[in-house]
Amino acid sequence: MSDISTDIVLREKFYGCICGAHIGSSMGAVVEGWSYESVENKYGTLDELLPYEHYNNGWVRDAGTTEDGIERQKLMITAIMRKGGRINAEDVRAVWRTEINPKAPGNVSEPFEGELLAIAKSKIPARDIGKYCDYAGLNSFARACHPIGLINAGDPASAVDDIFEVGQLYQTSNSRGLQWACVTAAGIASATKPNSTVDSVIADIYKYCDRRSVVDGRENWYADYAGVNIADEIDAGLKLTAKCKDFRDLRKAFDSVYNGVGMPYCMSYANEVVTKAVCIFKLVNGDVKQAIISGVNLGRDTDCVTAIAAGLSGALTGADSVPAKWIEQVDSATKINPFTNTKRTMRENADGLYDAFKNRLEKMKEFYDIMYNI
């Protein structure tokens, strides 16, 4: 495959990442939990935004409406915009207290997030809140942590550090869910580098998310902290799908590996979702539109897989491949969503993150100028 163009400005990489995550979540939510055979029988290839219903609560969402993972993401974006730089768990908790729409849990976000909000209003430290979530191995954070990667653009090591800080709002500190969230955030931070390629992003994922590597003079212990060998599972997925030509080949290849049923959120474990997303990213060579179409037609946890695959792709290549009608539809649906935590457009979210990143760089430069000659 040819190398990715190196002339994409950073602001557009931020926008591509947010567009990929939001549009992918919306389109994938229509068939979330379906087998790929059911998707094929109903739509052939699903490649448009459609209305859908979640939680059996009678609310039929307009085409382009996003879902719970994007609500999580929006709150992190708000915290980053307020602080103008990297955030910690207390920063996000403060936003939860003031910005979560009280009608969101059970409508546009998972019911258990209402319970976490109630805990967040207590005096319990923010880093302890995730201990009270039953779903430590899920992709709750891995599919939503794109802003952590973006505020650490070009700095995967800091992105990994921030995952273990902010992620404790959602899951326990040594959970598999947070180990796999490191892949999402480190991959996005890597993709924003100048001259990055699909292969260089995957190389950084291995470098920063695998215990067997030494980064900046210190052993990178994260991946095996909870008995998780991230590199081996991603490696196995990439080898399994190396000869796949399209998403139809990809989903058949994965069928014998990821097929859990019969337990809560059985399709949403982070190792499955993130591995599939990395393989899609490789398959489509970072093309956002193709990442979206591939993810939503893969079956199982389609919205989460697509959010990660398209978010990684957008951070690498921007949003040029995304149809304008998709962007317009998602922004329009957001404006009329009665349950969302913020009605900012995707451009407003991306630019808010980009401005915060520039502010972070300016502060770093000021510090450097003060301390360099000491």
Side-chain angles (χ1 to χ4, degrees):
M1 292 182 178
S2 61
D3 288 341
I4 301 299
S5 173
T6 60
D7 61 357
I8 303 166
V9 298
L10 185 60
R11 178 174 180 251
E12 296 310 304
K13 289 191 169 202
F14 276 53
Y15 186 48
C17 180
I18 294 301
C19 285
H22 289 218
I23 296 169
S25 289
S26 175
M27 194 180 296
V30 175
V31 292
E32 181 183 9
W34 294 23
S35 67
Y36 69 78
E37 294 94 343
S38 296
V39 179
E40 180 86 28
N41 291 337
K42 175 76 172 179
Y43 297 107
T45 297
L46 178 59
D47 58 1
E48 61 180 325
L49 295 160
L50 298 171
Y52 65 98
E53 182 180 355
H54 269 181
Y55 307 126
N56 296 316
N57 61 3
W59 177 41
V60 178
R61 307 182 189 200
D62 291 275
T65 305
T66 54
E67 41 59 78
D68 58 286
I70 298 305
E71 293 305 313
R72 239 168 273 140
Q73 188 180 105
K74 287 177 177 179
L75 294 166
M76 284 181 262
I77 293 171
T78 299
I80 289 170
M81 290 171 63
R82 283 186 179 179
K83 194 168 185 180
R86 294 169 66 186
I87 54 173
N88 59 37
E90 291 293 349
D91 295 325
V92 181
R93 189 247 285 268
V95 168
W96 282 14
R97 286 173 163 175
T98 61
E99 301 303 318
I100 287 183
N101 185 330
K103 297 180 180 179
N107 284 305
V108 75
S109 60
E110 288 290 324
F112 69 75
E113 295 188 69
E115 298 171 5
L116 294 181
L117 174 60
I119 298 171
K121 292 180 178 179
S122 73
K123 295 182 179 180
I124 291 176
R127 294 179 189 87
D128 289 346
I129 293 173
K131 295 177 182 178
Y132 298 94
C133 181
D134 287 340
Y135 309 110
L138 298 192
N139 60 17
S140 306
F141 196 51
R143 61 93 62 238
C145 65
H146 303 54
I148 304 300
L150 292 174
I151 194 60
N152 288 290
D155 186 5
S158 293
V160 168
D161 288 342
D162 288 357
I163 287 296
F164 283 98
E165 164 64 27
V166 179
Q168 291 180 80
L169 279 164
Y170 301 94
Q171 295 165 317
T172 57
S173 59
N174 66 340
S175 72
R176 288 170 294 171
L178 297 192
Q179 319 300 318
W180 284 94
C182 290
V183 175
T184 305
I188 288 170
S190 175
T192 60
K193 292 180 182 178
N195 304 316
S196 54
T197 65
V198 169
D199 288 340
S200 72
V201 171
I202 293 174
D204 269 352
I205 287 172
Y206 286 145
K207 180 179 180 181
Y208 291 99
C209 301
D210 180 12
R211 180 185 185 277
R212 293 167 295 185
S213 64
V214 176
V215 178
D216 299 330
R218 59 181 181 175
E219 186 177 26
N220 187 9
W221 53 270
Y222 297 123
D224 279 350
Y225 187 48
V228 180
N229 199 319
I230 290 172
D232 283 352
E233 187 157 354
I234 292 175
D235 221 27
L238 289 169
K239 289 176 180 176
L240 178 69
T241 58
K243 295 183 179 180
C244 292
K245 296 179 180 179
D246 57 26
F247 67 81
R248 288 183 171 83
D249 290 344
L250 201 73
R251 63 196 187 185
K252 289 179 181 177
F254 279 131
D255 214 18
S256 63
V257 180
Y258 300 113
N259 48 39
V261 295
M263 56 186 176
Y265 301 108
C266 60
M267 300 177 182
S268 302
Y269 280 83
N271 61 312
E272 172 182 345
V273 170
V274 176
T275 299
K276 287 179 174 179
V278 172
C279 292
I280 291 172
F281 174 64
K282 174 72 171 177
L283 175 75
V284 303
N285 199 33
D287 183 291
V288 185
K289 179 182 178 182
Q290 293 306 314
I292 291 172
I293 292 172
S294 297
V296 302
N297 288 280
L298 205 67
R300 294 176 67 82
D301 199 347
T302 47
D303 59 332
C304 295
V305 169
T306 310
I308 299 171
L312 278 169
S313 297
L316 185 67
T317 63
D320 281 353
S321 71
V322 181
K325 64 181 180 180
W326 290 0
I327 295 173
E328 293 166 5
Q329 185 62 58
V330 170
D331 283 342
S332 295
T334 298
K335 291 297 183 184
I336 60 173
N337 185 342
F339 303 114
T340 185
N341 295 310
T342 173
K343 296 187 177 184
R344 290 188 300 259
T345 65
M346 289 181 286
R347 174 59 81 180
E348 288 169 341
N349 279 309
D351 281 355
L353 286 168
Y354 179 66
D355 289 343
F357 177 73
K358 288 194 298 180
N359 184 65
R360 177 191 171 198
L361 290 187
E362 289 168 3
K363 289 182 177 179
M364 291 168 66
K365 185 179 183 302
E366 289 174 6
F367 179 70
Y368 174 85
D369 290 343
I370 291 169
M371 300 299 294
Y372 180 71
N373 291 318
I374 291 179

